[in-house]
C-alpha cells in the first residue's frame, strides 16, 4: 500500500513538472500597440539612446550585407552559372525582398525595442519557440563573427605585404593563422585584437559606432561603384554569350548560394530601440538597404562576366584578378581596400546585433539579468557587448573557424521562416476570440507547417535530381497557402503592411526551407543538436526565470 502511495506521489510529481514546463513553454509576450506610445526598457530603468536616423539605418543594413563576398562570391558562382550569375543574384534578391517585407511589417507594428526575430516569435508563438530561434541565430552570429575576424586579419596582412617593409616579414601566427595539433588549434593574434577594438567602439556609444560604420560603408560603396564604372569600359559583350552555359539549373543553384550574400538587413530590425523614428525609418532602412545591395551585386556581376570569360575567372579573388589581367592594377588596390572596409563593417554590425539580442533575453529573464544592464553614461549594453566580443575573440584566436562554415546559415534560414510565419499568425491575433477559435488556430499552424515541409521536401528532391517531384511539393504548398487565405480573415495592420498575406509569407517560408535542404548534412545535425541543448537549458533555467511582461515602467517615445 505504501509502495503504491510512493508511486502515485512520484507520478504526480512528474506530471506536475511536465505541466509546469509545458505551461511555461507556451507563454507569450504581450504585444503593446505602437499607437499606445509606450515601449519596453531595461530592468534598471536605463534605455538605449535613440540616435539612428534613416540614413544611418540604410547604411547599417548595407554594412551588414556587403562584405568581401561581393569581391569573391560573384566570381565563384559565375564559374558555374556563367553570365547567368546576374539572374542568380536577381532571383535571390527578389526572395530577400519578400523576407524584408515581412520584417518591415513587424518592425512597424512592434514596440521599438531590441529583439528582432526572437521578440516576434515570443509574441506570435511562445516562449520556447523564441528561445530556440535565439539559440540558432546566435550560433550563426558567433561563428560568423569569428570567421569574418580571421578573414579581416588575413586581408590586412595581405594589404600590408604590398609594401616592401612587410613583405614576407609577418609571421603566420599574427594574421594568417599558425596551426598546431594537426590543425585542431590555429593561433591568430590579430583577429582577437580587431574584435577587441570593435567591441570598444561599440561600447563607447551607438552614435560613435554608427559614424564609423557610415564612413566605412560609404567608402566601400564608393569603391564598388568606381569598380563598376571602371570595368564597364573594359566589357566585351561577346563574353556574355552563352548567357547560361550550364543551363537553368546552374542559375537556380547559384541563387541558393548567393542568397546568403544578402543576409544582414535583419540588423536594421534589431536597431529599433535606437532609431529616432522607428515606425517611419525601419521599413525604409530594411528595404532600402536591400535594394542598394541588389543593384551593387548585379552591377559587379555584369562587369566581371563581361571583362573576362566566365571559365577564366579565379577562385580566390576573381574581381581583382580580372582587373589585373586588363592592366588596371590600381583598381585591384581599390578592391583590396574595399574588401577590408567591407569586412570591418560586416563584423561591426554583426557584433552590434548580437549584443542587442542578449540584451533582449536578459530583460525577459531567459538569460541572467546582467545581460540586461545598460550603461548610464554611454547608453550601451556594455556587459552583453563585452561578452559577445570575448566569445568571438576566443573562437577567432584559437580555432580555424572556416572549418565550421558548413554548419552556418541554419539560424538565418530558421529565423527568416519564423518571422514570415509571425506575420500570418499575428494577423490572426488581431481578431477577437469569437473570430479565431482554437481549432482554427491549429488548422492555420498546420497549414504553415505543411508549407515548410513541402519547401524542405522540394529542396531535397531538387537536390537528388528529381525536379518533377519538387513541382508536386510546390503544388501542395500552394494549396496550403490557399487554405490559409480562405479559412482565415487577415486584418489590416497599422504602419507598414506586408502585401499579399498569406501568400507572400508562405512563399518566403517555402523558399527558405528549400534552401535549408541545400545545406550540408552537418548543418541539419547541428540544428537538431542545438535545439536539444536549448530545450535542456530552458528546462533547467529559462522556464523558472522568464518574465514575458517584464517589470518597471514604460517610456513614451516618438515615432
Amino acid at each position: 500500500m505504501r509502495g503504491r502511495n510512493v508511486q502515485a506521489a512520484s507520478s504526480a510529481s512528474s506530471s506536475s513538472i511536465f505541466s509546469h514546463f509545458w505551461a511555461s513553454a507556451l507563454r507569450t509576450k504581450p504585444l503593446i500597440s505602437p499607437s499606445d506610445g509606450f515601449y519596453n526598457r531595461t530592468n534598471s530603468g536605463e534605455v538605449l539612446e535613440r540616435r539612428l536616423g534613416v540614413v544611418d539605418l540604410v547604411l547599417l543594413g548595407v554594412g551588414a550585407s556587403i562584405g568581401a563576398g561581393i569581391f569573391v562570391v560573384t566570381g565563384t558562382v559565375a564559374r558555374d552559372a556563367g553570365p547567368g550569375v546576374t539572374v542568380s543574384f536577381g532571383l535571390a534578391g527578389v526572395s530577400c525582398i519578400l523576407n524584408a517585407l515581412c520584417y518591415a511589417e513587424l518592425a512597424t507594428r512592434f514596440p521599438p525595442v531590441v529583439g528582432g526575430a526572437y521578440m516576434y516569435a515570443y509574441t506570435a508563438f511562445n516562449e520556447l519557440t523564441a528561445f530556440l530561434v535565439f539559440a540558432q541565430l546566435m550560433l550563426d552570429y558567433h561563428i560568423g563573427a569569428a570567421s569574418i575576424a580571421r578573414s579581416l586579419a588575413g586581408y590586412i596582412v595581405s594589404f600590408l605585404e604590398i609594401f616592401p617593409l612587410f613583405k614576407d616579414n609577418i609571421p603566420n601566427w599574427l594574421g594568417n593563422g599558425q596551426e598546431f595539433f594537426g590543425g585542431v588549434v590555429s593561433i591568430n593574434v590579430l583577429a582577437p585584437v580587431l574584435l577587441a577594438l570593435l567591441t570598444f567602439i561599440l561600447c563607447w556609444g551607438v552614435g560613435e559606432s554608427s559614424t564609423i560604420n557610415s564612413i566605412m560603408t560609404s567608402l566601400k560603396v564608393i569603391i564598388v561603384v568606381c569598380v563598376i564604372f571602371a570595368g564597364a569600359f573594359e566589357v566585351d559583350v561577346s563574353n556574355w554569350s552563352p548567357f547560361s552555359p550550364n543551363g537553368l539549373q546552374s542559375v537556380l543553384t547559384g541563387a541558393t548560394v548567393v542568397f546568403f550574400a544578402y543576409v544582414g538587413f535583419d540588423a536594421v530590425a534589431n536597431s529599433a530601440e535606437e532609431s529616432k523614428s522607428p515606425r517611419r525609418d525601419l521599413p525604409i532602412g530594411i528595404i532600402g538597404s536591400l535594394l542598394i545591395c541588389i543593384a551593387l551585386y548585379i552591377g559587379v556581376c555584369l562587369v566581371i562576366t563581361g571583362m573576362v570569360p566566365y571559365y577564366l575567372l579565379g577562385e580566390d579573388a576573381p574581381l581583382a584578378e580580372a582587373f589585373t589581367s586588363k592592366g588596371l592594377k590600381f583598381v585591384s588596390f581599390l578592391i583590396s581596400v574595399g574588401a577590408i572596409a567591407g569586412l570591418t563593417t560586416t563584423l561591426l554590425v554583426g557584433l552590434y546585433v548580437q549584443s542587442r539580442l542578449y540584451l533582449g533575453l536578459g530583460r525577459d529573464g531567459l538569460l541572467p539579468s546582467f545581460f540586461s544592464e545598460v550603461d548610464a553614461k554611454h547608453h550601451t549594453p556594455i556587459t552583453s557587448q563585452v561578452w559577445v566580443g570575448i566569445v568571438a575573440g576566443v573562437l577567432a584566436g584559437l580555432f580555424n573557424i572556416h572549418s565550421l562554415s558548413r554548419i552556418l546559415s541554419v539560424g538565418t534560414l530558421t529565423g527568416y521562416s519564423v518571422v514570415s510565419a509571425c506575420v500570418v499568425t499575428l494577423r490572426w491575433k488581431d481578431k477577437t476570440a469569437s473570430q479565431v477559435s482554437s481549432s482554427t488556430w491549429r488548422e492555420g499552424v498546420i497549414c504553415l507547417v505543411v508549407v515548410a515541409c513541402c519547401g524542405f521536401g522540394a529542396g531535397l528532391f531538387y537536390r537528388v535530381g528529381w525536379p518533377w517531384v519538387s513541382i508536386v511539393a510546390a503544388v501542395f504548398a500552394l494549396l496550403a497557402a490557399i487554405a490559409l487565405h480562405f479559412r482565415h480573415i487577415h486584418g489590416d495592420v497599422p504602419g507598414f503592411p506586408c502585401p499579399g498575406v498569406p501568400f507572400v509569407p508562405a512563399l518566403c517560408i517555402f523558399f527558405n526551407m528549400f534552401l535549408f535542404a541545400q545545406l550540408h548534412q552537418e548543418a541539419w545535425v547541428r540544428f537538431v543538436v542545438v535545439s536539444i541543448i536549448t530545450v535542456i537549458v530552458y528546462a533547467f533555467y529559462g522556464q523558472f526565470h522568464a518574465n514575458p511582461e517584464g517589470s518597471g515602467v514604460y517610456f513614451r517615445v516618438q515615432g
Side-chain angles (χ1 to χ4, degrees), residues 124-426:
F125 292 104
N126 54 62
E127 190 169 282
L128 182 57
T129 300
F131 198 40
L132 288 167
V133 168
F134 163 80
Q136 296 290 352
L137 279 173
M138 196 49 59
L139 185 56
D140 268 12
Y141 278 126
H142 282 320
I143 296 176
S147 179
I148 293 171
R150 289 182 72 102
S151 296
L152 177 58
Y155 267 96
I156 290 176
V157 169
S158 298
F159 179 77
L160 291 176
E161 288 183 339
I162 295 176
F163 305 98
L165 177 64
F166 298 103
K167 182 67 174 178
D168 298 325
N169 290 326
I170 301 177
N172 286 335
W173 54 264
L174 183 61
N176 292 318
Q178 181 70 47
E179 295 186 352
F180 297 93
F181 307 109
V184 176
V185 176
S186 179
I187 302 298
N188 188 313
V189 174
L190 183 56
V193 172
L194 295 171
L195 284 164
L197 178 61
L198 294 178
T199 298
F200 173 77
I201 293 173
L202 288 166
C203 290
W204 187 11
V206 67
E208 291 75 11
S209 58
S210 175
T211 299
I212 293 175
N213 175 71
S214 298
I215 294 172
M216 298 290 283
T217 300
S218 299
L219 173 63
K220 70 179 177 182
V221 169
I222 291 172
I223 289 175
V224 172
V225 171
C226 291
V227 167
I228 292 173
F229 275 99
F233 293 98
E234 301 293 334
V235 167
D236 181 356
V237 294
S238 64
N239 289 329
W240 289 339
S241 180
F243 191 75
S244 180
N246 295 319
L248 178 61
Q249 185 168 353
S250 65
V251 173
L252 295 176
T253 302
T256 65
V257 175
V258 303
F259 175 87
F260 304 107
Y262 289 110
V263 300
F265 58 84
D266 58 326
V268 181
N270 281 282
S271 65
E273 194 167 330
E274 289 154 296
S275 172
K276 293 178 181 178
S277 184
R279 293 192 67 193
R280 183 199 68 187
D281 294 347
L282 288 178
I284 298 175
I286 292 171
I287 299 175
S289 62
L290 186 55
L291 291 176
I292 291 174
C293 292
I294 292 173
L296 293 177
Y297 274 121
I298 290 179
V300 169
C301 289
L302 289 173
V303 165
I304 193 175
T305 55
M307 290 178 62
V308 179
Y310 72 93
Y311 50 84
L312 295 180
L313 290 172
E315 291 284 354
D316 297 326
L319 194 57
E321 292 174 11
F323 279 94
T324 300
S325 67
K326 297 292 184 179
L328 301 174
K329 293 185 178 181
F330 72 95
V331 180
S332 299
F333 177 82
L334 285 179
I335 291 173
S336 298
V337 175
I340 292 174
L343 282 171
T344 301
T345 56
T346 303
L347 183 57
L348 184 73
V349 176
L351 295 173
Y352 166 86
V353 172
Q354 291 178 62
S355 67
R356 271 54 182 177
L357 284 173
Y358 274 107
L359 173 63
L361 269 82
R363 288 176 172 176
D364 294 332
L366 287 166
L367 290 178
S369 60
F370 58 78
F371 285 112
S372 67
E373 297 175 359
V374 175
D375 184 74
K377 179 180 179 182
H378 299 283
H379 298 282
T380 56
I382 291 181
T383 304
S384 295
Q385 196 68 72
V386 171
W387 164 258
V388 167
I390 291 174
V391 173
V394 171
L395 291 175
L398 297 179
F399 302 102
N400 183 4
I401 304 300
H402 294 292
S403 61
L404 297 178
S405 61
R406 295 168 69 91
I407 65 172
L408 276 175
S409 302
V410 174
T412 302
L413 291 172
T414 302
Y416 284 5
S417 300
V418 171
V419 167
S420 300
C422 287
V423 171
V424 179
T425 56
L426 285 173

Side-chain angles (χ1 to χ4, degrees), residues 427-441 487-491:
R427 294 285 186 99
W428 303 337
K429 283 195 171 186
D430 284 342
K431 299 303 175 182
T432 62
S434 61
Q435 290 175 301
V436 181
S437 64
S438 59
S439 61
T440 304
W441 172 273
R487 291 190 62 83
H488 298 279
I489 301 175
H490 302 274

Side-chain angles (χ1 to χ4, degrees), residues 449-520:
V449 172
V450 169
V451 171
C453 292
C454 288
F456 184 76
L460 281 180
F461 289 120
Y462 173 80
R463 182 172 180 171
V464 299
W466 294 356
W468 293 109
V469 184
S470 299
I471 295 175
V472 173
V475 171
F476 276 104
L478 177 61
L479 294 175
I482 293 174
L484 280 173
H485 175 70
F486 282 106
R487 291 190 62 83
H488 298 279
I489 301 175
H490 302 274
D492 296 329
V493 297
F496 181 92
C498 175
V501 175
F503 294 106
V504 167
L507 181 60
C508 291
I509 296 171
F510 180 88
F511 190 69
N512 292 337
M513 289 297 98
F514 183 92
L515 293 178
F516 194 104
Q518 310 307 311
L519 299 176
H520 295 284

